[in-house]
Amino acid sequence: QERISQWHDQSSRYSTELRDFKNQVLGMLEAAEKEREAMRTEAESAAVRVDRLEREVDYLETQNPAPPCVEVDETLMDKQVATAKQRKNEKYTKLTDCSDTIASVRAMKILKRFGSTSGLWTKDAAGNSEKIYVFDGTANDTVYVFPRMREFTLFSATRKAARIKLPYPWVGTGHLVYDGHLYYIRQQGLSFQVIKFNLANKTVVDSSVFPAEEQIPVFGLSPFTYIEVAADEEGLWAIYATKEDEKNICLAKLDPGSLDIEQMWDTPCPRENAEGAFVVCGALHVVYNTRLPSRSRVQCVFDVSGTLAPEDASLVYFPKRYGSHSSMKYSPQERQVYAWDDGYQIIYRMEMKKKMEV
C-alpha cells in the first residue's frame, strides 16, 4: 500500500510537470508564430523597399550615366591614326538609309528558363519565319527549332521542338540565323571557321577560315565566344579580338554570300568587362557588366560610317535580373534583342532615335 501510494504521488507529480511543460511549449510556439509573422511582414516590407530602390537607381543611372570606360592607350591611338591614314580612301559606303540608333530599353519580357546557364536563342534576322532557334550550351551539335514563340514559351520540355544535327559542333554563343541560313562558329585547332548551313536542305553551303591570327575571346566576361556573328539593317558583321590588339574589340563586315571580309576596323571599345555586343544601323554597341554580376549597360558605341557623334550615343541600361548575358541578338526587323541571361530567355524591346550626324 505504501508503494502504491508512493507511485500515485509520483504519477501525480509527473502529470503536473508534464502539463506545465506542455503549457510552456504551447506558449513558446505561440511566441515563435508571432515572431515568424512579424519577420514575414518585415521581409515583405523590405522587398517593397528594395524594389522601389531599384526603380530609383534605374532612374538615377538613366539621368546620370557613368562615363564610358575607354582606356586611353597612346600606342593604340598611334596605331589607329596610322591605320586611318592607310584607309583614308576606304570610307565605308552605307547600303541603306538607316539613320536610327538606340535611345533606351522600352520594355522587357522574360519568356522562360530553359537549358544551360549559357546559350543562344533567336529568330531569322532577315526572314519572316516565326521559328525559334535554340542553341543550348557553348559547345554542342544539335539545334532545337520551335515552330512559333507560343510552343517555345508554353512547353518546358523539347518534345515540341524539331532537332537539327549539325555536321560539325559549334563553339561559343556567337551564331546567327539569317535569310534561311545558319552562320555558326567551328573551332579547328587554333583557327576558327564560319560555317554557312542551309536550314532547308540541311547541308553546308560554304565555310571560311576567319582571316585573323591568334584570336582571343572577344568579350572579357564570356570566355567561350571567339567570334560573334551579328546582323543589322546593313547586313552581316563579325565581332572578334586578337592578341595583336588584345585590349580592344575588332569589327569586320561580312559578305553573307561568299563569307569574304569586306572591311575591318579596330574599335576603341575595350574587351575588359564586356559581356556581349550587337550592331544597329552600322554602329557597334558593346554591353558591359562586372565579374560579380551587376547592371548590364551599353557603354561603348562605334559607328563605322561616322554618322553618329560619340556624345550623342545613349549609354543604354538593361534592367537587372539574374546574372550576366551570355548572348544578345539584335533583330533589325523587330527592333528588339533576344538575350540569354543565366538560363533565362529574355526579350528587350528597344526605343530608337535618329542619329545626329557629326
Side-chain angles (χ1 to χ4, degrees):
Q1 288 179 351
E2 290 178 358
R3 287 198 299 271
I4 291 174
S5 177
Q6 185 179 4
W7 179 81
H8 278 298
D9 291 341
Q10 291 177 349
S11 177
S12 177
R13 187 171 65 253
Y14 291 154
S15 297
T16 302
E17 292 177 354
L18 180 60
R19 185 170 56 254
D20 293 341
F21 178 72
K22 180 180 178 181
N23 292 333
Q24 183 181 2
V25 170
L26 288 175
M28 294 173 64
L29 288 175
E30 289 178 359
E33 181 64 23
K34 290 180 180 179
E35 291 181 3
R36 188 185 72 84
E37 185 65 23
M39 292 179 65
R40 185 184 66 81
T41 303
E42 290 180 3
E44 290 178 352
S45 176
V48 171
R49 291 197 299 271
V50 169
D51 186 64
R52 186 185 301 117
L53 179 61
E54 284 192 348
R55 290 198 300 270
E56 291 175 355
V57 169
D58 287 347
Y59 175 78
L60 290 174
E61 287 182 335
T62 303
Q63 298 300 314
N64 303 286
C69 58
V70 178
E71 180 181 351
V72 178
D73 188 328
E74 296 298 332
T75 304
L76 174 63
M77 291 180 63
D78 293 342
K79 181 179 177 181
Q80 288 178 332
V81 170
T83 303
K85 289 181 179 178
Q86 293 175 1
R87 296 180 176 176
K88 62 182 179 181
N89 297 323
E90 299 181 13
K91 184 177 179 180
Y92 177 74
T93 303
K94 293 187 65 176
L95 303 177
T96 70
D97 59 354
C98 180
S99 60
D100 291 336
T101 184
I102 296 176
S104 63
V105 177
R106 184 178 64 186
M108 182 193 74
K109 184 176 182 180
I110 303 171
L111 269 296
K112 64 184 299 183
R113 185 171 191 176
F114 173 87
S116 309
T117 56
S118 299
L120 159 71
W121 77 296
T122 186
K123 293 172 69 175
D124 191 323
N128 296 319
S129 173
E130 293 296 319
K131 292 182 178 179
I132 302 295
Y133 299 88
V134 180
F135 298 74
D136 186 16
T138 59
N140 208 331
D141 63 356
T142 302
V143 182
Y144 297 108
V145 184
F146 293 84
R148 287 175 298 275
M149 186 72 73
R150 180 177 181 274
E151 281 77 7
F152 176 65
T153 305
L154 294 181
F155 298 97
S156 58
T158 57
R159 59 187 179 88
K160 289 290 183 179
R163 288 171 171 79
I164 298 178
K165 189 172 179 61
L166 302 176
Y168 315 109
W170 76 70
V171 61
T173 59
H175 326 299
L176 179 74
V177 177
Y178 187 84
D179 196 21
H181 293 83
L182 166 61
Y183 296 80
Y184 75 96
I185 309 303
R186 177 196 183 195
Q187 184 173 6
Q188 273 194 313
L190 298 178
S191 63
F192 295 86
Q193 282 184 306
V194 179
I195 307 294
K196 182 179 180 181
F197 183 81
N198 189 302
L199 292 168
N201 56 31
K202 311 296 189 297
T203 59
V204 174
V205 177
D206 201 355
S207 65
S208 175
V209 176
F210 196 76
E213 297 180 353
E214 296 185 301
Q215 285 186 242
I216 57 178
V218 60
F219 308 121
L221 298 184
S222 302
F224 38 76
T225 297
Y226 286 78
I227 301 174
E228 175 80 31
V229 184
D232 75 339
E233 296 78 1
E234 295 281 295
L236 291 192
W237 305 82
I239 308 166
Y240 66 101
T242 65
K243 280 189 177 180
E244 183 180 1
D245 182 20
E246 62 179 345
K247 288 187 177 181
N248 293 75
I249 293 171
C250 300
L251 180 67
K253 187 70 172 63
L254 274 178
D255 185 327
S258 64
L259 301 180
D260 291 338
I261 302 296
E262 297 178 350
Q263 200 166 339
M264 306 175 85
W265 296 266
D266 296 326
T267 81
C269 300
R271 291 176 55 249
E272 184 179 3
N273 291 333
E275 66 176 15
F278 48 88
V279 183
V280 179
C281 285
L284 174 68
H285 293 66
V286 184
V287 180
Y288 293 86
N289 205 312
T290 59
R291 294 199 176 275
L292 293 176
S294 180
R295 296 291 305 274
S296 298
R297 59 187 177 184
V298 174
Q299 207 170 344
C300 184
V301 179
F302 173 75
D303 188 2
V304 298
S305 63
T307 59
L308 178 64
E311 61 271 15
D312 292 326
S314 299
L315 302 184
V316 180
Y317 289 83
F318 294 88
K320 183 183 185 318
R321 278 300 176 265
Y322 303 107
S324 177
H325 297 104
S326 61
S327 64
M328 304 184 78
K329 288 297 175 182
Y330 172 70
S331 172
Q333 293 185 334
E334 300 172 316
R335 296 297 178 91
Q336 59 190 22
V337 173
Y338 292 85
W340 191 294
D341 182 358
D342 197 25
Y344 289 87
Q345 290 72 50
I346 301 174
I347 293 177
Y348 296 109
R349 292 186 175 86
M350 315 307 289
E351 187 75 31
M352 311 302 287
K353 67 177 183 179
K354 293 297 180 181
K355 294 180 181 178
M356 300 292 292
E357 293 196 3
V358 180

